[in-house]
Amino acid sequence: MSTTTTDTGAAPAEGSPRGPKGLGALGWARWAWRVLTSMRTALILLFLLAVGAIPGSILPQNVVSVDEVNIYFRENPELAPWLDRFHLFDVFSSPWYAAIYLLLFVSLAGCVFPRALVHARAVRSRPVRTPRNLGRMPYSARFTTGASPEAVLEQARGVLKGYRVERYGDSVSAETGYLREAGNVLFHLALLGLLVALAAGSFFGYRGNMLVVEEDGFANTLPSYDAIYPGHWTDMDSIAPFTIHLDDFEAGFIEEGDLRGQAASYVADLTYTEEPGGPEMTHRLEVNHPLSVSGVQVYLLGHGYAPEFVVRNGDGDVVFDQAVPFLYRDTMSFVSDGVVKVPDTGAGDDAQLGFVGVFLPTAAQTPDGELTSSFPGATEPRVTLEGYTGDLGMVDPQSVYQLRTEGMESLGESPVLAAGDVWELPDGAGSIEFAGYKEYVSLQANRDGARLPALLTAATAVGGLLLTLFIRPRRVWVRAARGEDGRTRVELAGLGKTEVAGNNAEFHEITTELAARLRNESDDNPQNPSDTRSDR
Amino acid sequence: MTYTLAAPVNETMASASDTLVIAMIVTYAAALFLFAIEAAYGRRTNLKAGRLMPVSAGAAGGGADGIEVDVRTTEGEARASQSVLGAIALGVTALGFLMGLAQIITRGVAAGRWPWGNMFEFVVAMCLVAVGVLLYASFRYQARFLGAFVLVPVLILLGIGVKWLYVDPGPLIPALHSYWVPIHVTAAILAGGAFMVSGVTGVTYLVSHRSDVKRARGEQVAGIAGRLPSPELLDRISHRLILFAFPLWTFGIIAGSIWADEAWGRFWGWDPKEVWSFISWVIYAAYLHARATGGWRGPKATWINVLGFATILFNFFAVNYMFSGLHSYA
Ligand code: HEM
């Protein structure tokens, strides 16, 4: 390694090793291993890791939002399947990305374990022998003093605070900064540990989204989720059986000024039990304030409106009475879209009713007369509907947010409905009443066992990193010998093992400190008149 | 359903804050002018020995101690273009820094919250850190010569901030109601400011390095490019700043993922902002590696550093505007 100018700690092979001379599988394997664990390969793999992540931010990702991926497919029907072939909508779980980081971590292990062994040996050994020629070191200094060689070496020990010092004949050899290497090994091992923790977490955990309307509840079972993403080895049959009931939800919005319409607060009051029939507890769910129940974290992701509709058939019987969650188009207006499906009107499958609705929390008109909403809070809630009659096609699975209108007959558009208004459907098909609205929350439940281990390994990595970056291993030698004139010639040399600047300045400080101490010592010693002369 | 009025904004503070931004920009512009004159016309002077200086630059002048020093470095003395204007520029910069500090405090008071909640506030804070780093480097490493270079991106960013990113002080969206704002965002701002100065120093290094190469070929190098301090010194300063910023960035990412865990229910979700923070982190790790890899030290490693700062900027501007994600609060 270029930075390690001495023997110890030079574990990783540097540069690009040449191909093996003797052929044979073993030779090739050795060579491949050497290439893989070289710093240059690590560098290239780090680059690939960074470059490979870029498409993961440019293209929509399934881990982030399946909806956006679907939209992309719809808008780019030619290109999308091709991109998908290269896993570009699942970059971070794709085989090619896995190949990069697995290679990187193999390289890391191959790099760090030998290094750790070398370091373990270095820690136990004594500082190296003093080299014969100190003048060859990056820093060296010479001066003479009246103090005896013994006194010089004694003072040198005092100046070299924090160094491990060993005496070799007429010199001392000192070394410090062992923790840097330990920190480096710790850092890399912690990264390895982090990867393992993350992998384990994603293999055994799960994440799911659900939508709960006010005064309604949720039971933690597989079918209750709108979307669920279990890990490879997650046992979904034995998930914690907690229940949640949404008592009330309140969203606050800023009413005035530039920021009008910006959300100010969300609060959901929940009642929950750890198992059906268990003792009831309450929790105030807010953004940044999740509910933790039976090892599962439940978070507030978003909210919306669920207008309530009462549908009567031609005979005046109530055939539908429900709050229907609508999805908002944007957060500033909260214009929301939804679908009401009435499969059973009592007149057979060909007389099913379907409605495509728009909910406007604060209805207003744009200058060109279009209906919109001017505020996300529900101050003037209005609904408009388009009605259809016919077969909803519910035998096939379908989204609750979409109405298949092919094969259905239009009933036209409703007037703008305020709460309590009823739209009488044409041809005696019945009526639909906009009866009011409720709010709903979308929640995410998440079980990830890696949370704590990931945090611990990451914190360890930071600790190791700080040691690596800020501890500067260095060596100092001091040699003292009586010269022909009876004065002691002192030679001091320093070697920084890492190329962090400031080493020479520090060695120089050591030299001046040592010289100063010796001067004081010999000043106190009147039997040594000679040095007042030269050192002043 | 409840409606809150916008938390009452303290109008006096708000307008004081807005005035201060403009005053600060003018002040920095004046400082930049003075720094540029120093860089172009100052006298090439030896810098005093110091933390990042080669020891031969003064410290070894120990004739009085009878100490004879032998330093084996290829580096000559640390010299920079100096003039009294530079000292004045430094004072003016410090004045601008104080204005920046006051601006951020008044804005925080005006809005009644931590003053980093939107892009404008973020840019202003990052520039404040960059200037703070410049001041620190000037005192600690005698790196006043960086002033002419650091203030350029600072002024550009502040200009963009005032012209395009400005919003009136006001309350935050709920997702930002958290004590993690001061922790996570502060780490990002501190690291970002230091990365910025390091990147600028890196660019200066590349120029100085080229001048050295040209001189070695016997060519004359005219202008500021020929009057820069030695590339080794610039490299050391830029590296030193990464040593400060990289662990902070790491910490910021970790703090962010703890926050994400609390707010969004997962600590890491490959949201575009997260992806780009990760990319920056990997690039800076690559920079540190490159410095330890044969054949990569010097200009190549420095290019990686500059690339790192480019990813930080990209993360900030492009990701907020181009990609949708949980982090978009532009
Ligand atoms: C996950 C990928 C990795 C990351 C994020 C990473 C990060 C780092 C960082 C931040 C440093 C500190 C640099 C310094 O001392 O200034 C470092 C040092 C080092 N890394 Fe890595 N590393 C990774 C993988 C590897 C691999 C695969 C190898 C081996 C081939 C390796 C070998 C080393 C060595 C030998 C050093 C010490 C360099 C020196 O002495 O200055 N690292 N690494």
Side-chain angles (χ1 to χ4, degrees):
Chain A
M1 263 173 18
S2 62
T3 53
T4 308
T5 20
T6 49
D7 44 358
T8 49
E14 196 225 300
S16 49
R18 260 171 248 126
K21 289 199 197 79
L23 288 169
L26 196 63
W28 279 103
R30 271 219 193 101
W31 174 79
W33 182 247
R34 273 229 312 287
V35 171
L36 183 60
T37 57
S38 77
M39 282 294 267
R40 182 158 308 175
T41 308
L43 195 56
I44 291 168
L45 288 171
L46 276 171
F47 268 120
L48 288 178
L49 195 68
V51 172
I54 294 176
S57 74
I58 295 174
L59 293 170
Q61 296 294 301
N62 279 318
V63 271
V64 179
S65 163
V66 180
D67 294 341
E68 278 180 35
V69 174
N70 290 338
I71 292 171
Y72 192 91
F73 264 87
R74 210 174 316 135
E75 289 174 357
N76 304 278
E78 300 277 302
L79 186 61
W82 273 100
L83 297 176
D84 198 31
R85 217 162 284 176
F86 297 101
H87 305 271
L88 288 172
F89 301 108
D90 299 281
V91 166
F92 303 103
S93 52
S94 68
W96 59 265
Y97 202 68
I100 297 174
Y101 67 73
L102 288 179
L103 274 180
L104 181 61
F105 277 92
V106 171
S107 166
L108 189 155
C111 194
V112 168
F113 284 113
R115 212 174 141 114
L117 292 181
V118 171
H119 180 60
R121 246 175 278 134
V123 167
R124 271 177 280 121
S125 64
R126 308 300 307 165
V128 294
R129 232 162 226 300
T130 313
R132 187 160 307 138
N133 188 352
L134 290 180
R136 286 220 200 107
M137 289 300 156
Y139 171 92
S140 63
R142 277 157 293 279
F143 62 93
T144 63
T145 172
S148 70
E150 280 307 312
V152 171
L153 297 185
E154 199 45 48
Q155 286 293 356
R157 278 179 189 273
V159 175
L160 292 167
K161 269 192 300 293
Y163 282 74
R164 186 183 284 181
V165 182
E166 182 80 3
R167 172 85 186 252
Y168 289 110
D170 60 353
S171 69
V172 290
S173 168
E175 179 160 359
T176 189
Y178 292 86
L179 273 181
R180 175 192 192 272
E181 197 56 25
N184 191 283
V185 170
L186 190 67
F187 168 75
H188 287 89
L189 287 184
L191 290 185
L192 210 58
L194 180 61
L195 182 74
V196 172
L198 293 181
S202 73
F203 277 132
F204 291 105
Y206 66 87
R207 177 167 59 88
N209 294 349
M210 64 273 201
L211 194 148
V212 185
V213 180
E214 275 175 318
E215 292 160 40
D216 202 351
F218 167 83
N220 192 34
T221 55
L222 202 50
S224 323
Y225 283 96
D226 298 324
I228 184 134
Y229 310 94
H232 255 288
W233 295 322
T234 310
D235 177 9
M236 287 309 290
D237 295 335
S238 60
I239 60 176
F242 61 84
T243 70
I244 290 176
H245 184 262
L246 177 62
D247 303 331
D248 184 36
F249 175 76
E250 292 207 0
F253 302 96
I254 296 169
E255 270 196 284
E256 282 173 13
D258 275 4
L259 300 173
R260 179 182 150 86
Q262 183 179 299
S265 68
Y266 308 125
V267 181
D269 283 310
L270 305 179
T271 307
Y272 68 98
T273 63
E274 290 195 355
E275 57 199 5
E280 290 192 348
M281 289 162 282
T282 58
H283 181 87
R284 183 158 262 234
L285 193 67
E286 294 173 76
V287 175
N288 290 322
H289 189 52
L291 164 69
S292 181
V293 50
S294 313
V296 180
Q297 315 295 116
V298 180
Y299 305 81
L300 182 60
L301 276 192
H303 66 106
Y305 292 101
E308 296 173 271
F309 295 98
V310 179
V311 179
R312 293 184 169 81
N313 63 13
D315 302 334
D317 301 330
V318 173
V319 290
F320 183 94
D321 182 0
Q322 243 177 314
V324 183
F326 276 32
L327 300 181
Y328 61 82
R329 292 182 196 165
D330 66 83
T331 54
M332 289 313 263
S333 72
F334 251 89
V335 173
S336 306
D337 300 294
V339 163
V340 182
K341 294 181 188 176
V342 187
D344 185 8
T345 57
D349 278 356
D350 289 338
Q352 294 175 330
L353 289 172
F355 301 89
V356 178
V358 179
F359 178 84
L360 311 159
T362 300
Q365 283 197 341
T366 59
D368 41 0
E370 256 183 78
L371 211 51
T372 180
S373 168
S374 60
F375 189 72
T379 56
E380 301 260 338
R382 296 288 183 276
V383 161
T384 63
L385 297 167
E386 272 175 61
Y388 294 90
T389 180
D391 185 356
L392 289 167
M394 302 265 280
V395 279
D396 304 324
Q398 55 174 271
S399 161
V400 294
Y401 300 109
Q402 267 166 6
L403 190 68
R404 285 197 204 151
T405 54
E406 64 264 31
M408 296 187 82
E409 190 184 322
S410 174
L411 294 172
E413 285 184 29
S414 74
V416 178
L417 304 174
D421 288 354
V422 178
W423 177 31
E424 295 293 342
L425 302 175
D427 307 332
S431 69
I432 178 165
E433 176 188 355
F434 167 42
Y437 69 91
K438 285 181 177 173
E439 290 184 72
Y440 70 82
V441 292
S442 60
L443 301 178
Q444 180 170 91
N446 196 8
R447 192 186 79 195
D448 188 346
R451 296 165 77 235
L452 204 57
L455 181 60
L456 290 179
T457 47
T460 311
V462 173
L465 185 63
L466 290 174
L467 295 178
T468 315
L469 296 183
F470 290 105
I471 292 191
R472 294 170 296 128
R474 50 214 188 271
R475 292 176 175 167
V476 172
W477 298 274
V478 182
R479 176 172 282 142
R482 186 81 69 184
E484 279 162 17
D485 57 356
R487 290 176 58 78
T488 303
R489 291 168 44 80
V490 182
E491 243 191 315
L492 188 148
L495 170 70
K497 290 172 72 183
T498 54
E499 52 75 48
V500 180
N503 282 330
N504 286 352
E506 179 175 344
F507 296 141
H508 195 66
E509 273 166 32
I510 293 175
T511 312
T512 45
E513 162 97 25
L514 179 61
R517 285 198 186 196
L518 292 170
R519 199 157 55 231
N520 290 342
E521 179 169 277
S522 36
D523 279 350
D524 296 342
N525 181 357
Q527 274 146 9
N528 225 341
S530 59
D531 41 66
T532 26
R533 194 199 59 222
S534 73
D535 281 357
R536 285 281 145 87
Chain B
M1 175 75 56
T2 58
Y3 306 106
T4 11
L5 288 169
V9 170
N10 182 330
E11 294 297 340
T12 334
M13 285 295 179
S15 74
S17 162
D18 292 350
T19 315
L20 280 165
V21 188
I22 304 301
M24 173 176 71
I25 291 179
V26 173
T27 312
Y28 285 156
L32 173 60
F33 181 67
L34 296 173
F35 274 131
I37 294 182
E38 178 185 51
Y41 303 110
R43 277 204 14 227
R44 294 270 285 161
T45 318
N46 279 352
L47 297 173
K48 290 198 300 285
R51 262 275 172 231
L52 296 187
M53 303 297 155
V55 96
S56 53
D65 290 347
I67 300 175
E68 194 189 302
V69 174
D70 189 4
V71 178
R72 305 205 162 218
T73 65
T74 50
E75 185 180 0
E77 290 167 333
R79 294 166 65 172
S81 203
Q82 287 200 329
S83 115
V84 66
L85 288 183
I88 298 172
L90 200 60
V92 176
T93 309
L95 183 70
F97 178 80
L98 291 179
M99 287 175 177
L101 206 60
Q103 184 267 331
I104 287 180
I105 293 171
T106 46
R107 200 173 156 98
V109 172
R113 57 169 172 78
W114 273 89
W116 23 89
N118 53 50
M119 301 225 345
F120 170 74
E121 294 171 351
F122 200 88
V123 159
V124 169
M126 198 161 100
C127 288
L128 185 80
V129 173
V131 173
V133 169
L134 170 66
L135 292 174
Y136 176 84
S138 303
F139 290 110
R140 190 73 203 262
Y141 311 140
Q142 306 169 62
R144 194 168 86 199
F145 47 80
L146 288 178
F149 306 98
V150 173
L151 286 182
V152 173
V154 163
L155 279 167
I156 293 175
L157 286 175
L158 286 176
I160 293 176
V162 168
K163 184 126 177 39
W164 285 292
L165 308 179
Y166 184 81
V167 285
D168 284 330
L172 297 173
I173 58 175
L176 295 182
H177 289 184
S178 168
Y179 55 91
W180 286 105
V181 169
I183 301 173
H184 165 69
V185 186
T186 306
I189 288 172
L190 284 173
F195 280 140
M196 178 155 131
V197 180
S198 178
V200 169
T201 313
V203 173
T204 319
Y205 162 87
L206 291 171
V207 176
S208 169
H209 183 81
R210 260 190 68 180
S211 305
D212 262 17
V213 171
K214 279 193 187 159
R215 263 188 233 110
R217 277 197 248 121
E219 292 170 36
Q220 285 284 331
V221 187
I224 294 183
R227 307 169 62 85
L228 291 172
S230 73
E232 290 85 355
L233 179 60
L234 292 166
D235 186 41
R236 278 198 296 264
I237 294 173
S238 139
H239 177 228
R240 178 55 64 97
L241 293 175
I242 299 290
L243 295 191
F244 167 77
F246 183 71
L248 254 177
W249 188 255
T250 313
F251 169 79
I253 292 178
I254 295 173
S257 51
I258 301 175
W259 184 12
D261 186 61
E262 282 186 14
W264 301 323
R266 84 289 185 289
F267 55 83
W268 195 266
W270 298 111
D271 177 87
K273 197 109 202 166
E274 292 170 348
V275 172
W276 280 91
S277 314
F278 171 73
I279 290 176
S280 300
W281 186 79
V282 171
I283 301 254
Y284 281 111
Y287 165 79
L288 290 171
H289 267 218
R291 292 180 63 89
T293 306
W296 276 82
R297 290 202 51 191
K300 277 195 200 163
T302 305
W303 276 113
I304 302 179
N305 180 4
V306 174
L307 184 67
F309 185 60
T311 63
I312 300 264
L313 282 183
F314 186 86
N315 197 354
F316 184 61
F317 288 106
V319 173
N320 276 357
Y321 285 113
M322 281 165 38
F323 308 133
S324 75
L326 295 167
H327 270 93
S328 328
Y329 29 69

